[in-house]
PDB file of all heavy atoms in Angstrom:
ATOM      1  N   ALA A   1     102.975 194.559 318.107  1.00 98.00           N
ATOM      2  CA  ALA A   1     103.590 193.536 318.919  1.00 98.00           C
ATOM      3  C   ALA A   1     102.952 193.361 320.293  1.00 98.00           C
ATOM      4  O   ALA A   1     102.702 194.384 320.995  1.00 98.00           O
ATOM      5  CB  ALA A   1     105.073 193.798 319.065  1.00 98.00           C
ATOM      6  N   PRO A   2     102.589 192.205 320.730  1.00 98.00           N
ATOM      7  CA  PRO A   2     102.028 192.049 322.059  1.00 98.00           C
ATOM      8  C   PRO A   2     103.153 192.215 323.126  1.00 98.00           C
ATOM      9  O   PRO A   2     104.379 192.199 322.790  1.00 98.00           O
ATOM     10  CB  PRO A   2     101.572 190.536 322.070  1.00 98.00           C
ATOM     11  CG  PRO A   2     102.429 189.886 321.089  1.00 98.00           C
ATOM     12  CD  PRO A   2     102.731 190.942 320.011  1.00 98.00           C
ATOM     13  N   SER A   3     102.761 192.411 324.335  1.00 97.00           N
ATOM     14  CA  SER A   3     103.752 192.685 325.364  1.00 97.00           C
ATOM     15  C   SER A   3     104.737 191.579 325.591  1.00 97.00           C
ATOM     16  O   SER A   3     105.934 191.784 325.871  1.00 97.00           O
ATOM     17  CB  SER A   3     103.052 192.967 326.729  1.00 97.00           C
ATOM     18  OG  SER A   3     102.259 191.846 327.091  1.00 97.00           O
ATOM     19  N   THR A   4     104.309 190.333 325.388  1.00 97.00           N
ATOM     20  CA  THR A   4     105.203 189.176 325.562  1.00 97.00           C
ATOM     21  C   THR A   4     106.375 189.266 324.586  1.00 97.00           C
ATOM     22  O   THR A   4     107.573 188.930 324.964  1.00 97.00           O
ATOM     23  CB  THR A   4     104.438 187.828 325.384  1.00 97.00           C
ATOM     24  OG1 THR A   4     103.785 187.871 324.128  1.00 97.00           O
ATOM     25  CG2 THR A   4     103.484 187.611 326.472  1.00 97.00           C
ATOM     26  N   ASP A   5     106.129 189.645 323.391  1.00 97.00           N
ATOM     27  CA  ASP A   5     107.205 189.806 322.382  1.00 97.00           C
ATOM     28  C   ASP A   5     108.114 190.921 322.702  1.00 97.00           C
ATOM     29  O   ASP A   5     109.328 190.831 322.510  1.00 97.00           O
ATOM     30  CB  ASP A   5     106.597 189.950 320.980  1.00 97.00           C
ATOM     31  CG  ASP A   5     105.949 188.646 320.453  1.00 97.00           C
ATOM     32  OD1 ASP A   5     105.884 187.658 321.239  1.00 97.00           O
ATOM     33  OD2 ASP A   5     105.543 188.618 319.289  1.00 97.00           O
ATOM     34  N   LEU A   6     107.530 192.039 323.201  1.00 98.00           N
ATOM     35  CA  LEU A   6     108.354 193.168 323.526  1.00 98.00           C
ATOM     36  C   LEU A   6     109.233 192.840 324.725  1.00 98.00           C
ATOM     37  O   LEU A   6     110.421 193.284 324.797  1.00 98.00           O
ATOM     38  CB  LEU A   6     107.496 194.376 323.841  1.00 98.00           C
ATOM     39  CG  LEU A   6     106.711 194.977 322.692  1.00 98.00           C
ATOM     40  CD1 LEU A   6     105.832 196.103 323.163  1.00 98.00           C
ATOM     41  CD2 LEU A   6     107.600 195.460 321.606  1.00 98.00           C
ATOM     42  N   LYS A   7     108.721 192.118 325.675  1.00 97.00           N
ATOM     43  CA  LYS A   7     109.528 191.693 326.843  1.00 97.00           C
ATOM     44  C   LYS A   7     110.697 190.822 326.420  1.00 97.00           C
ATOM     45  O   LYS A   7     111.795 190.888 326.951  1.00 97.00           O
ATOM     46  CB  LYS A   7     108.634 190.970 327.855  1.00 97.00           C
ATOM     47  CG  LYS A   7     107.581 191.877 328.550  1.00 97.00           C
ATOM     48  CD  LYS A   7     106.674 191.013 329.440  1.00 97.00           C
ATOM     49  CE  LYS A   7     105.545 191.808 330.031  1.00 97.00           C
ATOM     50  NZ  LYS A   7     106.103 192.825 331.031  1.00 97.00           N
ATOM     51  N   ALA A   8     110.458 189.937 325.431  1.00 96.00           N
ATOM     52  CA  ALA A   8     111.500 189.106 324.878  1.00 96.00           C
ATOM     53  C   ALA A   8     112.590 189.920 324.201  1.00 96.00           C
ATOM     54  O   ALA A   8     113.760 189.683 324.371  1.00 96.00           O
ATOM     55  CB  ALA A   8     110.912 188.064 323.937  1.00 96.00           C
ATOM     56  N   LEU A   9     112.151 190.940 323.444  1.00 96.00           N
ATOM     57  CA  LEU A   9     113.129 191.787 322.749  1.00 96.00           C
ATOM     58  C   LEU A   9     113.921 192.618 323.748  1.00 96.00           C
ATOM     59  O   LEU A   9     115.124 192.897 323.479  1.00 96.00           O
ATOM     60  CB  LEU A   9     112.396 192.749 321.811  1.00 96.00           C
ATOM     61  CG  LEU A   9     111.808 192.149 320.477  1.00 96.00           C
ATOM     62  CD1 LEU A   9     111.080 193.256 319.745  1.00 96.00           C
ATOM     63  CD2 LEU A   9     112.969 191.642 319.622  1.00 96.00           C
ATOM     64  N   SER A  10     113.334 192.895 324.866  1.00 96.00           N
ATOM     65  CA  SER A  10     114.039 193.731 325.820  1.00 96.00           C
ATOM     66  C   SER A  10     115.303 193.033 326.341  1.00 96.00           C
ATOM     67  O   SER A  10     116.310 193.676 326.745  1.00 96.00           O
ATOM     68  CB  SER A  10     113.147 194.130 327.022  1.00 96.00           C
ATOM     69  OG  SER A  10     112.860 193.003 327.853  1.00 96.00           O
ATOM     70  N   LYS A  11     115.264 191.701 326.344  1.00 94.00           N
ATOM     71  CA  LYS A  11     116.383 190.951 326.786  1.00 94.00           C
ATOM     72  C   LYS A  11     117.578 190.944 325.827  1.00 94.00           C
ATOM     73  O   LYS A  11     118.710 190.608 326.171  1.00 94.00           O
ATOM     74  CB  LYS A  11     115.992 189.475 327.058  1.00 94.00           C
ATOM     75  CG  LYS A  11     114.898 189.338 328.135  1.00 94.00           C
ATOM     76  CD  LYS A  11     114.433 187.871 328.328  1.00 94.00           C
ATOM     77  CE  LYS A  11     113.340 187.794 329.353  1.00 94.00           C
ATOM     78  NZ  LYS A  11     112.858 186.406 329.503  1.00 94.00           N
ATOM     79  N   ASP A  12     117.275 191.344 324.586  1.00 91.00           N
ATOM     80  CA  ASP A  12     118.308 191.387 323.509  1.00 91.00           C
ATOM     81  C   ASP A  12     118.886 192.773 323.400  1.00 91.00           C
ATOM     82  O   ASP A  12     119.790 193.004 322.528  1.00 91.00           O
ATOM     83  CB  ASP A  12     117.734 190.968 322.217  1.00 91.00           C
ATOM     84  CG  ASP A  12     117.309 189.477 322.217  1.00 91.00           C
ATOM     85  OD1 ASP A  12     118.068 188.656 322.650  1.00 91.00           O
ATOM     86  OD2 ASP A  12     116.181 189.210 321.724  1.00 91.00           O
ATOM     87  N   ARG A  13     118.425 193.770 324.196  1.00 86.00           N
ATOM     88  CA  ARG A  13     118.982 195.111 324.179  1.00 86.00           C
ATOM     89  C   ARG A  13     119.069 195.620 322.719  1.00 86.00           C
ATOM     90  O   ARG A  13     120.170 195.777 322.175  1.00 86.00           O
ATOM     91  CB  ARG A  13     120.310 195.156 324.843  1.00 86.00           C
ATOM     92  CG  ARG A  13     120.227 194.734 326.279  1.00 86.00           C
ATOM     93  CD  ARG A  13     121.509 195.032 327.101  1.00 86.00           C
ATOM     94  NE  ARG A  13     121.775 196.462 327.213  1.00 86.00           N
ATOM     95  CZ  ARG A  13     121.250 197.158 328.167  1.00 86.00           C
ATOM     96  NH1 ARG A  13     120.383 196.623 329.066  1.00 86.00           N
ATOM     97  NH2 ARG A  13     121.504 198.470 328.288  1.00 86.00           N
ATOM     98  N   VAL A  14     117.938 195.786 322.088  1.00 95.00           N
ATOM     99  CA  VAL A  14     117.890 196.119 320.647  1.00 95.00           C
ATOM    100  C   VAL A  14     118.135 197.583 320.359  1.00 95.00           C
ATOM    101  O   VAL A  14     118.180 197.945 319.174  1.00 95.00           O
ATOM    102  CB  VAL A  14     116.476 195.720 320.092  1.00 95.00           C
ATOM    103  CG1 VAL A  14     116.371 194.225 320.144  1.00 95.00           C
ATOM    104  CG2 VAL A  14     115.412 196.366 320.821  1.00 95.00           C
ATOM    105  N   ASN A  15     118.327 198.424 321.363  1.00 96.00           N
ATOM    106  CA  ASN A  15     118.527 199.895 321.123  1.00 96.00           C
ATOM    107  C   ASN A  15     117.451 200.455 320.229  1.00 96.00           C
ATOM    108  O   ASN A  15     117.711 201.083 319.225  1.00 96.00           O
ATOM    109  CB  ASN A  15     119.965 200.050 320.494  1.00 96.00           C
ATOM    110  CG  ASN A  15     121.064 199.703 321.365  1.00 96.00           C
ATOM    111  OD1 ASN A  15     120.999 199.937 322.612  1.00 96.00           O
ATOM    112  ND2 ASN A  15     122.096 199.133 320.805  1.00 96.00           N
ATOM    113  N   MET A  16     116.224 200.221 320.681  1.00 97.00           N
ATOM    114  CA  MET A  16     115.080 200.718 319.901  1.00 97.00           C
ATOM    115  C   MET A  16     115.084 202.253 319.812  1.00 97.00           C
ATOM    116  O   MET A  16     115.296 202.937 320.815  1.00 97.00           O
ATOM    117  CB  MET A  16     113.759 200.225 320.597  1.00 97.00           C
ATOM    118  CG  MET A  16     112.464 200.691 319.887  1.00 97.00           C
ATOM    119  SD  MET A  16     110.950 200.127 320.802  1.00 97.00           S
ATOM    120  CE  MET A  16     111.029 198.331 320.407  1.00 97.00           C
ATOM    121  N   LYS A  17     114.788 202.771 318.651  1.00 97.00           N
ATOM    122  CA  LYS A  17     114.695 204.215 318.490  1.00 97.00           C
ATOM    123  C   LYS A  17     113.433 204.686 319.204  1.00 97.00           C
ATOM    124  O   LYS A  17     112.434 204.045 319.253  1.00 97.00           O
ATOM    125  CB  LYS A  17     114.744 204.559 317.003  1.00 97.00           C
ATOM    126  CG  LYS A  17     115.963 204.242 316.270  1.00 97.00           C
ATOM    127  CD  LYS A  17     115.865 204.641 314.816  1.00 97.00           C
ATOM    128  CE  LYS A  17     117.170 204.290 314.085  1.00 97.00           C
ATOM    129  NZ  LYS A  17     117.069 204.655 312.612  1.00 97.00           N
ATOM    130  N   MET A  18     113.504 206.010 319.630  1.00 97.00           N
ATOM    131  CA  MET A  18     112.344 206.532 320.363  1.00 97.00           C
ATOM    132  C   MET A  18     111.138 206.656 319.423  1.00 97.00           C
ATOM    133  O   MET A  18     109.986 206.488 319.844  1.00 97.00           O
ATOM    134  CB  MET A  18     112.711 207.933 320.820  1.00 97.00           C
ATOM    135  CG  MET A  18     111.795 208.443 321.919  1.00 97.00           C
ATOM    136  SD  MET A  18     111.960 207.381 323.407  1.00 97.00           S
ATOM    137  CE  MET A  18     110.385 207.783 324.210  1.00 97.00           C
ATOM    138  N   SER A  19     111.338 206.880 318.136  1.00 96.00           N
ATOM    139  CA  SER A  19     110.232 206.977 317.174  1.00 96.00           C
ATOM    140  C   SER A  19     109.461 205.645 317.110  1.00 96.00           C
ATOM    141  O   SER A  19     108.262 205.623 316.972  1.00 96.00           O
ATOM    142  CB  SER A  19     110.775 207.348 315.839  1.00 96.00           C
ATOM    143  OG  SER A  19     111.760 206.473 315.287  1.00 96.00           O
ATOM    144  N   THR A  20     110.225 204.568 317.191  1.00 97.00           N
ATOM    145  CA  THR A  20     109.540 203.205 317.202  1.00 97.00           C
ATOM    146  C   THR A  20     108.863 202.966 318.513  1.00 97.00           C
ATOM    147  O   THR A  20     107.762 202.452 318.557  1.00 97.00           O
ATOM    148  CB  THR A  20     110.601 202.147 316.967  1.00 97.00           C
ATOM    149  OG1 THR A  20     111.282 202.365 315.695  1.00 97.00           O
ATOM    150  CG2 THR A  20     109.989 200.782 316.948  1.00 97.00           C
ATOM    151  N   PHE A  21     109.509 203.353 319.613  1.00 97.00           N
ATOM    152  CA  PHE A  21     108.947 203.164 320.904  1.00 97.00           C
ATOM    153  C   PHE A  21     107.590 203.870 321.064  1.00 97.00           C
ATOM    154  O   PHE A  21     106.644 203.307 321.653  1.00 97.00           O
ATOM    155  CB  PHE A  21     109.909 203.678 321.999  1.00 97.00           C
ATOM    156  CG  PHE A  21     109.444 203.509 323.410  1.00 97.00           C
ATOM    157  CD1 PHE A  21     109.629 202.280 324.062  1.00 97.00           C
ATOM    158  CD2 PHE A  21     108.860 204.548 324.105  1.00 97.00           C
ATOM    159  CE1 PHE A  21     109.205 202.091 325.354  1.00 97.00           C
ATOM    160  CE2 PHE A  21     108.428 204.351 325.425  1.00 97.00           C
ATOM    161  CZ  PHE A  21     108.629 203.152 326.042  1.00 97.00           C
ATOM    162  N   LEU A  22     107.473 205.052 320.502  1.00 97.00           N
ATOM    163  CA  LEU A  22     106.256 205.852 320.602  1.00 97.00           C
ATOM    164  C   LEU A  22     105.106 205.252 319.804  1.00 97.00           C
ATOM    165  O   LEU A  22     103.952 205.608 320.022  1.00 97.00           O
ATOM    166  CB  LEU A  22     106.484 207.271 320.164  1.00 97.00           C
ATOM    167  CG  LEU A  22     107.460 208.085 321.061  1.00 97.00           C
ATOM    168  CD1 LEU A  22     107.776 209.448 320.413  1.00 97.00           C
ATOM    169  CD2 LEU A  22     106.885 208.237 322.450  1.00 97.00           C
ATOM    170  N   GLN A  23     105.448 204.345 318.860  1.00 96.00           N
ATOM    171  CA  GLN A  23     104.413 203.724 318.047  1.00 96.00           C
ATOM    172  C   GLN A  23     103.920 202.419 318.639  1.00 96.00           C
ATOM    173  O   GLN A  23     103.039 201.814 317.989  1.00 96.00           O
ATOM    174  CB  GLN A  23     104.976 203.503 316.650  1.00 96.00           C
ATOM    175  CG  GLN A  23     105.258 204.769 315.834  1.00 96.00           C
ATOM    176  CD  GLN A  23     103.982 205.605 315.540  1.00 96.00           C
ATOM    177  OE1 GLN A  23     102.903 205.026 315.360  1.00 96.00           O
ATOM    178  NE2 GLN A  23     104.151 206.886 315.479  1.00 96.00           N
ATOM    179  N   LEU A  24     104.495 201.979 319.727  1.00 97.00           N
ATOM    180  CA  LEU A  24     104.021 200.682 320.297  1.00 97.00           C
ATOM    181  C   LEU A  24     102.572 200.758 320.739  1.00 97.00           C
ATOM    182  O   LEU A  24     102.082 201.834 321.130  1.00 97.00           O
ATOM    183  CB  LEU A  24     104.932 200.302 321.531  1.00 97.00           C
ATOM    184  CG  LEU A  24     106.387 200.105 321.229  1.00 97.00           C
ATOM    185  CD1 LEU A  24     107.132 199.802 322.571  1.00 97.00           C
ATOM    186  CD2 LEU A  24     106.613 199.007 320.248  1.00 97.00           C
ATOM    187  N   GLY A  25     101.930 199.678 320.706  1.00 97.00           N
ATOM    188  CA  GLY A  25     100.509 199.626 321.175  1.00 97.00           C
ATOM    189  C   GLY A  25     100.424 200.048 322.600  1.00 97.00           C
ATOM    190  O   GLY A  25     101.251 199.668 323.433  1.00 97.00           O
ATOM    191  N   ARG A  26      99.369 200.793 322.960  1.00 96.00           N
ATOM    192  CA  ARG A  26      99.187 201.354 324.270  1.00 96.00           C
ATOM    193  C   ARG A  26      99.228 200.266 325.289  1.00 96.00           C
ATOM    194  O   ARG A  26      99.848 200.301 326.369  1.00 96.00           O
ATOM    195  CB  ARG A  26      97.976 202.202 324.381  1.00 96.00           C
ATOM    196  CG  ARG A  26      97.744 202.788 325.747  1.00 96.00           C
ATOM    197  CD  ARG A  26      96.456 203.593 325.788  1.00 96.00           C
ATOM    198  NE  ARG A  26      96.172 204.050 327.147  1.00 96.00           N
ATOM    199  CZ  ARG A  26      96.686 205.114 327.724  1.00 96.00           C
ATOM    200  NH1 ARG A  26      97.542 205.876 327.039  1.00 96.00           N
ATOM    201  NH2 ARG A  26      96.394 205.463 328.937  1.00 96.00           N
ATOM    202  N   ASP A  27      98.406 199.182 325.121  1.00 96.00           N
ATOM    203  CA  ASP A  27      98.235 198.168 326.109  1.00 96.00           C
ATOM    204  C   ASP A  27      99.567 197.403 326.272  1.00 96.00           C
ATOM    205  O   ASP A  27      99.947 197.075 327.465  1.00 96.00           O
ATOM    206  CB  ASP A  27      97.202 197.127 325.654  1.00 96.00           C
ATOM    207  CG  ASP A  27      95.810 197.737 325.738  1.00 96.00           C
ATOM    208  OD1 ASP A  27      95.631 198.780 326.359  1.00 96.00           O
ATOM    209  OD2 ASP A  27      94.850 197.145 325.092  1.00 96.00           O
ATOM    210  N   SER A  28     100.310 197.206 325.206  1.00 97.00           N
ATOM    211  CA  SER A  28     101.625 196.549 325.313  1.00 97.00           C
ATOM    212  C   SER A  28     102.633 197.408 326.074  1.00 97.00           C
ATOM    213  O   SER A  28     103.342 196.891 326.965  1.00 97.00           O
ATOM    214  CB  SER A  28     102.110 196.190 323.950  1.00 97.00           C
ATOM    215  OG  SER A  28     101.306 195.297 323.237  1.00 97.00           O
ATOM    216  N   LEU A  29     102.562 198.703 325.789  1.00 97.00           N
ATOM    217  CA  LEU A  29     103.504 199.627 326.441  1.00 97.00           C
ATOM    218  C   LEU A  29     103.241 199.713 327.945  1.00 97.00           C
ATOM    219  O   LEU A  29     104.196 199.653 328.772  1.00 97.00           O
ATOM    220  CB  LEU A  29     103.434 201.047 325.890  1.00 97.00           C
ATOM    221  CG  LEU A  29     104.209 202.161 326.516  1.00 97.00           C
ATOM    222  CD1 LEU A  29     105.707 201.853 326.504  1.00 97.00           C
ATOM    223  CD2 LEU A  29     103.866 203.500 325.865  1.00 97.00           C
ATOM    224  N   MET A  30     102.021 199.783 328.341  1.00 97.00           N
ATOM    225  CA  MET A  30     101.627 199.965 329.736  1.00 97.00           C
ATOM    226  C   MET A  30     102.012 198.720 330.604  1.00 97.00           C
ATOM    227  O   MET A  30     102.166 198.811 331.817  1.00 97.00           O
ATOM    228  CB  MET A  30     100.152 200.169 329.885  1.00 97.00           C
ATOM    229  CG  MET A  30      99.669 201.536 329.364  1.00 97.00           C
ATOM    230  SD  MET A  30     100.552 202.896 330.152  1.00 97.00           S
ATOM    231  CE  MET A  30     100.176 204.231 328.993  1.00 97.00           C
ATOM    232  N   SER A  31     102.224 197.563 329.933  1.00 97.00           N
ATOM    233  CA  SER A  31     102.563 196.367 330.720  1.00 97.00           C
ATOM    234  C   SER A  31     104.090 196.240 330.919  1.00 97.00           C
ATOM    235  O   SER A  31     104.476 195.321 331.642  1.00 97.00           O
ATOM    236  CB  SER A  31     102.023 195.123 329.977  1.00 97.00           C
ATOM    237  OG  SER A  31     102.732 194.928 328.810  1.00 97.00           O
ATOM    238  N   LEU A  32     104.919 197.080 330.353  1.00 98.00           N
ATOM    239  CA  LEU A  32     106.339 196.992 330.471  1.00 98.00           C
ATOM    240  C   LEU A  32     106.793 197.645 331.753  1.00 98.00           C
ATOM    241  O   LEU A  32     106.307 198.736 332.162  1.00 98.00           O
ATOM    242  CB  LEU A  32     107.028 197.702 329.285  1.00 98.00           C
ATOM    243  CG  LEU A  32     106.710 197.146 327.854  1.00 98.00           C
ATOM    244  CD1 LEU A  32     107.409 197.953 326.822  1.00 98.00           C
ATOM    245  CD2 LEU A  32     107.154 195.659 327.771  1.00 98.00           C
ATOM    246  N   THR A  33     107.777 197.025 332.361  1.00 97.00           N
ATOM    247  CA  THR A  33     108.429 197.596 333.528  1.00 97.00           C
ATOM    248  C   THR A  33     109.560 198.549 333.163  1.00 97.00           C
ATOM    249  O   THR A  33     110.013 198.500 331.987  1.00 97.00           O
ATOM    250  CB  THR A  33     108.987 196.488 334.398  1.00 97.00           C
ATOM    251  OG1 THR A  33     110.084 195.811 333.711  1.00 97.00           O
ATOM    252  CG2 THR A  33     107.966 195.406 334.758  1.00 97.00           C
ATOM    253  N   PRO A  34     109.961 199.411 334.088  1.00 98.00           N
ATOM    254  CA  PRO A  34     111.108 200.234 333.728  1.00 98.00           C
ATOM    255  C   PRO A  34     112.373 199.491 333.279  1.00 98.00           C
ATOM    256  O   PRO A  34     113.095 199.907 332.367  1.00 98.00           O
ATOM    257  CB  PRO A  34     111.365 201.053 335.073  1.00 98.00           C
ATOM    258  CG  PRO A  34     110.021 201.097 335.701  1.00 98.00           C
ATOM    259  CD  PRO A  34     109.415 199.772 335.344  1.00 98.00           C
ATOM    260  N   ALA A  35     112.646 198.397 333.895  1.00 97.00           N
ATOM    261  CA  ALA A  35     113.767 197.581 333.513  1.00 97.00           C
ATOM    262  C   ALA A  35     113.618 197.037 332.091  1.00 97.00           C
ATOM    263  O   ALA A  35     114.610 197.052 331.287  1.00 97.00           O
ATOM    264  CB  ALA A  35     113.952 196.397 334.461  1.00 97.00           C
ATOM    265  N   GLU A  36     112.414 196.699 331.679  1.00 97.00           N
ATOM    266  CA  GLU A  36     112.176 196.188 330.345  1.00 97.00           C
ATOM    267  C   GLU A  36     112.290 197.302 329.316  1.00 97.00           C
ATOM    268  O   GLU A  36     112.781 197.113 328.190  1.00 97.00           O
ATOM    269  CB  GLU A  36     110.790 195.484 330.302  1.00 97.00           C
ATOM    270  CG  GLU A  36     110.759 194.146 331.054  1.00 97.00           C
ATOM    271  CD  GLU A  36     109.347 193.650 331.305  1.00 97.00           C
ATOM    272  OE1 GLU A  36     108.438 194.414 331.220  1.00 97.00           O
ATOM    273  OE2 GLU A  36     109.235 192.454 331.643  1.00 97.00           O
ATOM    274  N   VAL A  37     111.809 198.463 329.667  1.00 98.00           N
ATOM    275  CA  VAL A  37     111.933 199.611 328.774  1.00 98.00           C
ATOM    276  C   VAL A  37     113.417 199.970 328.581  1.00 98.00           C
ATOM    277  O   VAL A  37     113.831 200.279 327.469  1.00 98.00           O
ATOM    278  CB  VAL A  37     111.166 200.900 329.341  1.00 98.00           C
ATOM    279  CG1 VAL A  37     111.537 202.142 328.616  1.00 98.00           C
ATOM    280  CG2 VAL A  37     109.659 200.621 329.268  1.00 98.00           C
ATOM    281  N   LYS A  38     114.165 199.877 329.645  1.00 97.00           N
ATOM    282  CA  LYS A  38     115.632 200.107 329.507  1.00 97.00           C
ATOM    283  C   LYS A  38     116.247 199.053 328.594  1.00 97.00           C
ATOM    284  O   LYS A  38     117.109 199.431 327.756  1.00 97.00           O
ATOM    285  CB  LYS A  38     116.262 200.030 330.911  1.00 97.00           C
ATOM    286  CG  LYS A  38     117.783 200.232 330.894  1.00 97.00           C
ATOM    287  CD  LYS A  38     118.323 200.117 332.305  1.00 97.00           C
ATOM    288  CE  LYS A  38     119.852 200.385 332.324  1.00 97.00           C
ATOM    289  NZ  LYS A  38     120.432 200.293 333.656  1.00 97.00           N
ATOM    290  N   GLY A  39     115.791 197.807 328.687  1.00 97.00           N
ATOM    291  CA  GLY A  39     116.357 196.815 327.810  1.00 97.00           C
ATOM    292  C   GLY A  39     115.976 197.079 326.300  1.00 97.00           C
ATOM    293  O   GLY A  39     116.781 196.759 325.432  1.00 97.00           O
ATOM    294  N   LEU A  40     114.773 197.660 326.102  1.00 97.00           N
ATOM    295  CA  LEU A  40     114.328 197.925 324.698  1.00 97.00           C
ATOM    296  C   LEU A  40     115.146 199.128 324.154  1.00 97.00           C
ATOM    297  O   LEU A  40     115.682 199.067 323.024  1.00 97.00           O
ATOM    298  CB  LEU A  40     112.900 198.227 324.681  1.00 97.00           C
ATOM    299  CG  LEU A  40     111.894 197.058 324.772  1.00 97.00           C
ATOM    300  CD1 LEU A  40     110.490 197.546 324.797  1.00 97.00           C
ATOM    301  CD2 LEU A  40     112.093 196.112 323.565  1.00 97.00           C
TER     302      LEU A  40
END
């Protein structure tokens, strides 16, 4: 998933599991803010 899609998902508070979070693409992960990570 590109960062734009992850940022959109963060607004839906999807309660992403940590195992899924650790599999995110590095570039996409690095572009997320703390608030967006909290949303995910």
